[in-house]
Coordinates of all heavy atoms in Angstrom, one line a residue:
G49 N 18.2 -26.4 -22.8 CA 17.5 -27.0 -23.9 C 16.1 -27.5 -23.5 O 15.5 -28.2 -24.4
K50 N 15.7 -27.2 -22.3 CA 14.3 -27.7 -21.9 C 13.9 -27.0 -20.6 O 14.7 -26.2 -20.1 CB 14.3 -29.2 -21.6 CG 15.2 -29.7 -20.5 CD 15.1 -31.1 -20.2 CE 16.0 -31.5 -19.0 NZ 15.6 -32.7 -18.4
T51 N 12.8 -27.3 -20.1 CA 12.3 -26.9 -18.8 C 11.5 -28.0 -18.2 O 10.8 -28.7 -18.9 CB 11.5 -25.6 -18.8 OG1 11.2 -25.1 -17.5 CG2 10.2 -25.8 -19.6
D52 N 11.6 -28.1 -16.9 CA 10.9 -29.1 -16.1 C 10.0 -28.3 -15.0 O 9.4 -29.0 -14.2 CB 11.8 -30.1 -15.4 CG 12.5 -31.0 -16.4 OD1 11.9 -31.4 -17.4 OD2 13.7 -31.3 -16.2
N53 N 10.0 -27.1 -15.1 CA 9.2 -26.3 -14.1 C 8.5 -25.1 -14.8 O 8.2 -25.2 -16.0 CB 10.2 -25.8 -13.0 CG 11.3 -25.0 -13.5 OD1 11.2 -24.2 -14.4 ND2 12.5 -25.2 -12.9
H54 N 8.3 -24.1 -14.1 CA 7.5 -22.9 -14.6 C 8.4 -21.8 -15.3 O 7.8 -20.8 -15.7 CB 6.8 -22.3 -13.4 CG 7.6 -21.7 -12.3 ND1 8.4 -22.5 -11.5 CD2 8.0 -20.4 -12.1 CE1 9.1 -21.7 -10.7 NE2 8.9 -20.5 -11.0
I55 N 9.6 -22.0 -15.4 CA 10.5 -21.0 -15.9 C 11.2 -21.5 -17.2 O 11.6 -22.6 -17.3 CB 11.6 -20.7 -14.9 CG1 11.0 -20.0 -13.7 CG2 12.6 -19.7 -15.5 CD1 11.9 -19.8 -12.5
V56 N 11.3 -20.6 -18.1 CA 12.1 -20.8 -19.4 C 13.1 -19.7 -19.4 O 12.8 -18.4 -19.3 CB 11.2 -20.7 -20.6 CG1 12.0 -20.9 -21.9 CG2 10.1 -21.8 -20.6
L57 N 14.4 -20.0 -19.6 CA 15.4 -19.0 -19.6 C 16.0 -19.0 -21.1 O 16.6 -19.9 -21.5 CB 16.5 -19.3 -18.6 CG 17.7 -18.4 -18.6 CD1 17.3 -17.0 -18.3 CD2 18.7 -18.8 -17.5
M58 N 15.7 -17.9 -21.8 CA 16.2 -17.8 -23.1 C 17.6 -17.3 -23.1 O 18.0 -16.3 -22.4 CB 15.3 -16.7 -23.9 CG 13.9 -17.2 -24.2 SD 12.9 -15.9 -24.9 CE 13.7 -15.5 -26.4
D59 N 18.5 -17.9 -23.9 CA 19.9 -17.5 -24.0 C 20.0 -16.8 -25.4 O 19.9 -17.3 -26.5 CB 20.8 -18.8 -24.1 CG 22.2 -18.5 -24.1 OD1 22.6 -17.4 -24.5 OD2 23.0 -19.4 -23.8
L60 N 20.3 -15.5 -25.3 CA 20.3 -14.6 -26.4 C 21.7 -14.4 -27.1 O 21.8 -13.6 -28.0 CB 19.7 -13.3 -26.0 CG 18.4 -13.3 -25.4 CD1 18.1 -12.0 -24.7 CD2 17.3 -13.6 -26.4
R61 N 22.7 -15.1 -26.5 CA 24.1 -14.8 -27.0 C 24.2 -15.1 -28.5 O 24.9 -14.4 -29.2 CB 25.1 -15.7 -26.2 CG 25.3 -15.2 -24.8 CD 26.2 -16.0 -24.0 NE 25.6 -17.4 -23.8 CZ 26.1 -18.3 -23.0 NH1 27.2 -18.1 -22.4 NH2 25.5 -19.4 -22.8
S62 N 23.6 -16.2 -29.0 CA 23.8 -16.6 -30.4 C 23.1 -15.5 -31.3 O 23.4 -15.4 -32.5 CB 23.2 -17.9 -30.7 OG 21.8 -18.0 -30.6

Side-chain angles (χ1 to χ4, degrees):
K50 64 177 185 159
T51 186
D52 293 321
N53 57 38
H54 64 287
I55 295 172
V56 177
L57 180 54
M58 292 173 61
D59 185 342
L60 304 165
R61 289 178 291 188
S62 68

